Every structure is written in structure tokens, then in C-alpha cells.
Amino acid sequence: MSKIRTDHIFTSESVSEGHPDKVCDQVSDAVLDACLKKDPNSRVACETLVAHNLVVNAGEITCQGWEDLNTEEITRQVVKGIGYDREELKFWHDSFEYISRLHGQSPDISQGVTEGKGLFTEQGAGDQGMMFGYATNETPELMPCPIAYSHRLLQELEKIRKKGEISYLRPDSKSQVSLQYLNGRPSHITCVVISHQTDDVPLDQIREDLIKVAKKVLEPTGFLRPETEFYINPTGAFVLGGPYADAGVTGRKIIVDTYGGVGSHGGGAFSGKDPSKVDRSAAYYSRYVAKNIVAAGLAEKCEIQVAYAIGVAKPLSINVDTYGTGIVEDDELQRVLESGEVFNFRPGAIIKELDLLNPQGWSYQESARYGHFGRDIFPWEKTDKIEMIKKALQGKADKKATV
């Protein structure tokens, strides 16, 4: 069982949709979305690189109707939608060179993960590895406070930028929230950092405006204090940003995408991968399981780990850790998960249960902005298994409580 630190400060960061790495994640996922619309059985592993006046797509795609997809146009529309839509930004949707090195998926990999092919008749995992899911009752969305609040800051600033309410804001930005925990629970915010690309305007004006926005977002949490420190563009001017200033690559913001450093991470990125890749689908499902356990009141926090071998449907292992906060033993929760009574961790079952090949009311591109977890638009955020878990655990509650 993990050692519990009750008094500490924990910090998480978020990055905006205009951050170079996030531009890449959104382009990769926009290509995935387009492929799944053409062919729900598409196999996609699309990587993106952005740099000064350059966007490159590379990877493997198998998709019926692939020849009709214009990946260059998809890419330019994503860049425009983010807000890189004018010449003074130095990188914009009409100016960059586009290069594609996309090709078909290896048949050696395909035979292991396509149902009815290879050694198994059931769809196997798209790769080996371990994935984690996490949930905590610190926030209504059952996410850790530091990452949830970091996302909220940039989401609000994006709305303000796109409405023109602060006319000088540009697309690239980062946020960071440091939160004091006492006795294992959130106590107060110690520091807030926002670095935001802007037009060339006075720094004092930027700091005054962005502190107002930060306080508006964070005051409802009840965690701001008079002594909370705000660092706004702490290095000074931030005019040149985005891919003009820094290169970006798909999959470099895996902690922003998940829990802000809380819990564990298996190392696999999400964006540009179809759900046959368990790096993505099993991480989503593990979050789904952990969130339902916490929403059921069975633990204050919960982490799920699952591991796979490539081409094999049955997980190699499933592990549960409630960090000593569970009202039942972790072994009992693990027994329920391994039994398949409530949750089925086989890749084909995950894809079917969460309807990952046919997004309705959401898109993979949307998941590439402000974290893949914590927003109810995604099917892995549902809490529809609460009663089923409780029923499976009847009579197994420990002396602390009853299920």
C-alpha cells in the first residue's frame, strides 16, 4: 500500500490549446476523428510535429476511403480554430509548409489486434504495457484539485480570448496551481502561475487583468487566501509563442492529459491513437472504474492499474489501491474487477461499452484540450456502475462502514 503524506504542497500545471505540443495533439486527434467517420474500424497511429512554419504528419493509418481524406486541410482547419489565424502571429494556418509521411499499418501488428485474426479469435491489446486510472473526491468532477483548477484557469482565458473580452491575448499559455494539503485534505492555494502569450502591451496591465480572471475562477473554490501569491508572466514579455517560438510533438503532455502528477502513469500517450491501442482505451476505462468506485463512496481516492500483452485480450494483471481510504479491503475491490461481474477490461469489451469507435456528442480532438478526464461529455466519465459495484460487494464491507 502506498505511503500517505498528510501535510504537503502539491503543484500541477495545464497548457492551453495553443501550446505547440497541444497543437500537435489536436491535429493528430482530428485526423483520428476523420478516419473513424470514414471507417469505424480504422487503425490510426498519427504523430504530428510543429515547428517554425512547418507541420509534419507521420505514422500508420489503415482506413477505408483513406484516399478521400485531405489531412492537410484537416490540419490547417485545426490550426485556424485554435486561433493561429493571422500573419502577425508568425505561425498561422495559411502560411506553414505541410508534409505527410502517413502510410498503412504493419500487417504483423494488425493480425494480433483484429478480431478473428492471429492466434486469438477475440480482439487483443494493440500493445503491451500498463495503464492507470485515478479518481478522488476532492472536486465535483472527482479530479485532484491542482490539475482541475489549472485547467479551469486556461479554459476561462480561452473563452475570454475568443470572445475578444481581453483583446491582446494570443493562443499560447500555461497555468500552474500549488495547493496546500493538511491532514490529507485540500486546505488552500499557495501559488498561482499564468504565463500567457500576448500582444506587445504593458506588463502591469497584463498582470492586473489576469489576476482578476484568476480570482474570478478560483474564489468559488474557497481555497484562495490573502497570502496566495500570483505570478503572471513572471519572465516579462511573452509576445512570440506557439510553434513559431518552440517546436511541438504529439504526446509530450501526458501529465497535463491525466492527473497532473497525482498517482501513477504508465508512460503511454493518448492522442492520434485509435482505441485498439490500450494506451488510450484502457487508461480511459481505468479512470471509468476508479471514478465509479469513488462516486459510490467506497473510497476517498482510488487508483487502478491494468497491464496487457500485445495481441492478448485478457489483462495480465489488475491492481487496486485506495491509499487506505477504502471502506472495503482493496483485495475485495480487486476480486470484483477481476471477476468481470461489473467491469470487463478486455479491449473489445472496453471499445464496445464506451462506444469508442462512434463518438456521439464528443470528439477525440476535444479530449486533446485541457485534459482527457474530468469533463462529463466523455463516456468514460459516467458514474453508472455505482449500484452494480455495491451489489457485488454486499457483505464485504469492513468494520469502518457498510456498503
Side-chain angles (χ1 to χ4, degrees):
M1 183 175 291
S2 302
K3 184 178 178 181
I4 301 170
R5 290 188 64 203
T6 58
D7 295 357
H8 64 282
I9 296 175
F10 199 89
T11 301
S12 297
E13 72 162 352
S14 181
V15 299
S16 71
E17 63 172 356
H19 185 281
D21 293 331
K22 276 290 143 198
V23 173
C24 294
D25 287 342
Q26 290 168 88
V27 168
S28 292
D29 272 342
V31 171
L32 170 62
D33 285 327
C35 288
L36 292 176
K37 286 180 181 178
K38 283 280 184 186
D39 176 9
N41 296 312
S42 294
R43 293 284 187 262
V44 180
C46 177
E47 310 296 342
T48 304
L49 162 72
V50 296
H52 186 188
N53 208 38
L54 175 68
V55 179
V56 179
N57 281 147
E60 302 78 49
I61 293 180
T62 300
C63 171
Q64 294 293 327
W66 163 250
E67 62 278 0
D68 297 326
L69 287 179
N70 186 338
T71 55
E72 178 174 354
E73 180 60 23
I74 291 169
T75 299
R76 294 192 186 278
Q77 288 303 311
V78 170
V79 170
K80 182 179 181 180
I82 289 169
Y84 291 112
D85 56 2
R86 56 195 188 277
E87 189 172 2
E88 59 263 35
L89 297 176
K90 305 296 185 182
F91 174 88
W92 61 304
H93 71 286
D94 273 347
S95 71
F96 60 77
E97 178 185 3
Y98 176 78
I99 298 172
S100 175
R101 293 294 183 268
L102 297 166
H103 59 84
Q105 185 189 44
S106 163
D108 293 340
I109 296 175
S110 179
Q111 70 177 346
V113 299
T114 301
E115 188 171 356
K117 295 185 178 181
L119 297 176
F120 303 94
T121 58
E122 184 178 358
Q123 179 174 337
D127 202 351
Q128 71 175 49
M130 66 285 187
M131 300 84 210
F132 292 87
Y134 183 85
T136 172
N137 63 4
E138 291 176 13
T139 61
E141 57 265 51
L142 303 187
M143 289 286 286
C145 286
I147 188 66
Y149 300 160
S150 295
H151 287 325
R152 289 182 201 177
L153 286 169
L154 294 187
Q155 287 172 303
E156 181 64 19
L157 285 165
E158 181 196 314
K159 292 177 184 176
I160 289 170
R161 172 174 63 88
K162 290 188 171 180
K163 289 180 179 179
E165 294 174 3
I166 299 180
S167 61
Y168 58 76
L169 294 180
R170 292 183 172 188
D172 192 0
S173 61
K174 285 186 172 184
S175 65
Q176 189 168 286
V177 174
S178 300
L179 197 129
Q180 174 76 59
Y181 288 78
L182 297 175
N183 297 318
R185 300 300 299 173
S187 171
H188 60 276
I189 294 169
T190 61
C191 293
V192 177
V193 182
I194 299 174
S195 295
H196 209 301
Q197 184 190 16
T198 68
D199 295 342
D200 189 7
V201 299
L203 189 56
D204 287 346
Q205 180 184 352
I206 296 168
R207 288 175 173 165
E208 180 181 352
D209 290 343
L210 268 58
I211 286 174
K212 285 181 181 177
V213 173
K215 287 183 175 180
K216 174 186 173 183
V217 171
L218 296 175
E219 279 176 349
T221 69
F223 291 142
L224 283 185
R225 296 291 184 270
E227 63 270 24
T228 300
E229 297 180 294
F230 292 87
Y231 297 92
I232 308 298
N233 285 14
T235 62
F238 181 12
V239 175
L240 297 177
Y244 176 81
D246 295 291
V249 181
T250 301
R252 284 206 303 201
K253 286 292 175 282
I254 59 175
I255 300 303
V256 172
D257 284 343
T258 52
Y259 309 102
V262 176
S264 307
H265 198 297
F270 298 154
S271 291
K273 298 177 180 179
D274 75 86
S276 73
K277 282 74 171 174
V278 283
D279 274 347
R280 184 167 214 163
S281 55
Y284 288 175
Y285 201 69
S286 296
R287 160 66 177 175
Y288 176 52
V289 175
K291 187 175 182 182
N292 273 271
I293 288 171
V294 173
L298 298 173
E300 294 180 12
K301 59 182 74 173
C302 179
E303 181 177 85
I304 305 295
Q305 186 207 51
V306 61
Y308 296 90
I310 188 169
V312 180
K314 183 181 178 180
L316 306 182
S317 64
I318 300 172
N319 184 64
V320 182
D321 188 351
T322 62
Y323 300 87
T325 69
I327 67 169
V328 298
E329 294 294 333
D330 290 353
D331 288 347
E332 289 299 330
L333 286 169
Q334 185 168 321
R335 176 192 63 77
V336 170
L337 300 191
E338 290 174 340
S339 73
E341 295 174 59
V342 183
F343 299 101
N344 189 337
F345 282 85
R346 293 172 180 260
I350 291 173
I351 292 168
K352 183 177 181 181
E353 183 173 355
L354 299 182
D355 203 14
L356 297 179
L357 295 176
N358 185 33
Q360 298 293 319
W362 62 279
S363 68
Y364 285 103
Q365 183 185 342
E366 178 63 29
S367 74
R369 308 163 61 251
Y370 310 115
H372 293 245
F373 307 120
R375 287 178 285 165
D376 287 342
I377 60 173
F378 302 122
W380 51 89
E381 293 294 316
K382 296 182 296 185
T383 52
D384 56 351
K385 294 292 186 74
I386 291 173
E387 295 307 317
M388 293 179 67
I389 301 172
K390 288 183 175 181
K391 183 177 180 181
L393 287 166
Q394 284 292 342
K396 298 298 182 180
D398 67 14
K399 62 183 179 182
K400 291 183 283 187
T402 57
V403 178

